[in-house]
mmCIF file with all atom_site columns, all heavy atoms in Angstrom:
data_model
loop_
_atom_site.group_PDB
_atom_site.id
_atom_site.type_symbol
_atom_site.label_atom_id
_atom_site.label_alt_id
_atom_site.label_comp_id
_atom_site.label_asym_id
_atom_site.label_entity_id
_atom_site.label_seq_id
_atom_site.pdbx_PDB_ins_code
_atom_site.Cartn_x
_atom_site.Cartn_y
_atom_site.Cartn_z
_atom_site.occupancy
_atom_site.B_iso_or_equiv
_atom_site.pdbx_formal_charge
_atom_site.auth_seq_id
_atom_site.auth_comp_id
_atom_site.auth_asym_id
_atom_site.auth_atom_id
_atom_site.pdbx_PDB_model_num
ATOM 1  N N   . ARG A 1 17 ? -35.793 3.024  -5.580  1.00 45.00 ? 1420 ARG A N   1
ATOM 2  C CA  . ARG A 1 17 ? -36.569 2.604  -4.417  1.00 45.00 ? 1420 ARG A CA  1
ATOM 3  C C   . ARG A 1 17 ? -37.616 3.687  -4.204  1.00 45.00 ? 1420 ARG A C   1
ATOM 4  O O   . ARG A 1 17 ? -37.290 4.839  -3.948  1.00 45.00 ? 1420 ARG A O   1
ATOM 5  C CB  . ARG A 1 17 ? -35.666 2.477  -3.192  1.00 45.00 ? 1420 ARG A CB  1
ATOM 6  C CG  . ARG A 1 17 ? -34.626 1.372  -3.328  1.00 45.00 ? 1420 ARG A CG  1
ATOM 7  C CD  . ARG A 1 17 ? -33.747 1.324  -2.095  1.00 45.00 ? 1420 ARG A CD  1
ATOM 8  N NE  . ARG A 1 17 ? -32.739 0.294  -2.193  1.00 45.00 ? 1420 ARG A NE  1
ATOM 9  C CZ  . ARG A 1 17 ? -31.792 0.087  -1.286  1.00 45.00 ? 1420 ARG A CZ  1
ATOM 10 N NH1 . ARG A 1 17 ? -31.749 0.841  -0.204  1.00 45.00 ? 1420 ARG A NH1 1
ATOM 11 N NH2 . ARG A 1 17 ? -30.903 -0.870 -1.450  1.00 45.00 ? 1420 ARG A NH2 1
ATOM 12 N N   . GLY A 1 18 ? -38.871 3.356  -4.291  1.00 48.00 ? 1421 GLY A N   1
ATOM 13 C CA  . GLY A 1 18 ? -39.918 4.356  -4.217  1.00 48.00 ? 1421 GLY A CA  1
ATOM 14 C C   . GLY A 1 18 ? -40.243 4.859  -5.605  1.00 48.00 ? 1421 GLY A C   1
ATOM 15 O O   . GLY A 1 18 ? -40.232 4.108  -6.563  1.00 48.00 ? 1421 GLY A O   1
ATOM 16 N N   . LYS A 1 19 ? -40.513 6.144  -5.738  1.00 68.00 ? 1422 LYS A N   1
ATOM 17 C CA  . LYS A 1 19 ? -40.963 6.687  -7.015  1.00 68.00 ? 1422 LYS A CA  1
ATOM 18 C C   . LYS A 1 19 ? -39.972 7.657  -7.638  1.00 68.00 ? 1422 LYS A C   1
ATOM 19 O O   . LYS A 1 19 ? -40.317 8.366  -8.573  1.00 68.00 ? 1422 LYS A O   1
ATOM 20 C CB  . LYS A 1 19 ? -42.313 7.384  -6.797  1.00 68.00 ? 1422 LYS A CB  1
ATOM 21 C CG  . LYS A 1 19 ? -43.409 6.438  -6.301  1.00 68.00 ? 1422 LYS A CG  1
ATOM 22 C CD  . LYS A 1 19 ? -44.729 7.185  -6.108  1.00 68.00 ? 1422 LYS A CD  1
ATOM 23 C CE  . LYS A 1 19 ? -45.823 6.243  -5.623  1.00 68.00 ? 1422 LYS A CE  1
ATOM 24 N NZ  . LYS A 1 19 ? -47.106 6.949  -5.412  1.00 68.00 ? 1422 LYS A NZ  1
ATOM 25 N N   . ALA A 1 20 ? -38.751 7.698  -7.109  1.00 75.00 ? 1423 ALA A N   1
ATOM 26 C CA  . ALA A 1 20 ? -37.779 8.654  -7.631  1.00 75.00 ? 1423 ALA A CA  1
ATOM 27 C C   . ALA A 1 20 ? -37.361 8.297  -9.046  1.00 75.00 ? 1423 ALA A C   1
ATOM 28 O O   . ALA A 1 20 ? -37.127 7.143  -9.372  1.00 75.00 ? 1423 ALA A O   1
ATOM 29 C CB  . ALA A 1 20 ? -36.554 8.705  -6.727  1.00 75.00 ? 1423 ALA A CB  1
ATOM 30 N N   . THR A 1 21 ? -37.303 9.309  -9.898  1.00 76.00 ? 1424 THR A N   1
ATOM 31 C CA  . THR A 1 21 ? -36.788 9.159  -11.255 1.00 76.00 ? 1424 THR A CA  1
ATOM 32 C C   . THR A 1 21 ? -35.787 10.279 -11.469 1.00 76.00 ? 1424 THR A C   1
ATOM 33 O O   . THR A 1 21 ? -35.669 11.206 -10.659 1.00 76.00 ? 1424 THR A O   1
ATOM 34 C CB  . THR A 1 21 ? -37.912 9.272  -12.293 1.00 76.00 ? 1424 THR A CB  1
ATOM 35 O OG1 . THR A 1 21 ? -38.464 10.600 -12.224 1.00 76.00 ? 1424 THR A OG1 1
ATOM 36 C CG2 . THR A 1 21 ? -39.010 8.251  -12.044 1.00 76.00 ? 1424 THR A CG2 1
ATOM 37 N N   . ILE A 1 22 ? -35.073 10.203 -12.589 1.00 73.00 ? 1425 ILE A N   1
ATOM 38 C CA  . ILE A 1 22 ? -34.134 11.290 -12.897 1.00 73.00 ? 1425 ILE A CA  1
ATOM 39 C C   . ILE A 1 22 ? -34.885 12.620 -12.979 1.00 73.00 ? 1425 ILE A C   1
ATOM 40 O O   . ILE A 1 22 ? -34.409 13.649 -12.498 1.00 73.00 ? 1425 ILE A O   1
ATOM 41 C CB  . ILE A 1 22 ? -33.372 10.986 -14.198 1.00 73.00 ? 1425 ILE A CB  1
ATOM 42 C CG1 . ILE A 1 22 ? -32.393 9.839  -13.973 1.00 73.00 ? 1425 ILE A CG1 1
ATOM 43 C CG2 . ILE A 1 22 ? -32.625 12.221 -14.688 1.00 73.00 ? 1425 ILE A CG2 1
ATOM 44 C CD1 . ILE A 1 22 ? -31.587 9.453  -15.199 1.00 73.00 ? 1425 ILE A CD1 1
ATOM 45 N N   . ALA A 1 23 ? -36.076 12.584 -13.566 1.00 76.00 ? 1426 ALA A N   1
ATOM 46 C CA  . ALA A 1 23 ? -36.862 13.812 -13.689 1.00 76.00 ? 1426 ALA A CA  1
ATOM 47 C C   . ALA A 1 23 ? -37.289 14.344 -12.326 1.00 76.00 ? 1426 ALA A C   1
ATOM 48 O O   . ALA A 1 23 ? -37.219 15.553 -12.065 1.00 76.00 ? 1426 ALA A O   1
ATOM 49 C CB  . ALA A 1 23 ? -38.088 13.558 -14.564 1.00 76.00 ? 1426 ALA A CB  1
#
Side-chain angles (χ1 to χ4, degrees):
R1420 295 179 181 176
K1422 299 180 180 179
T1424 64
I1425 290 180

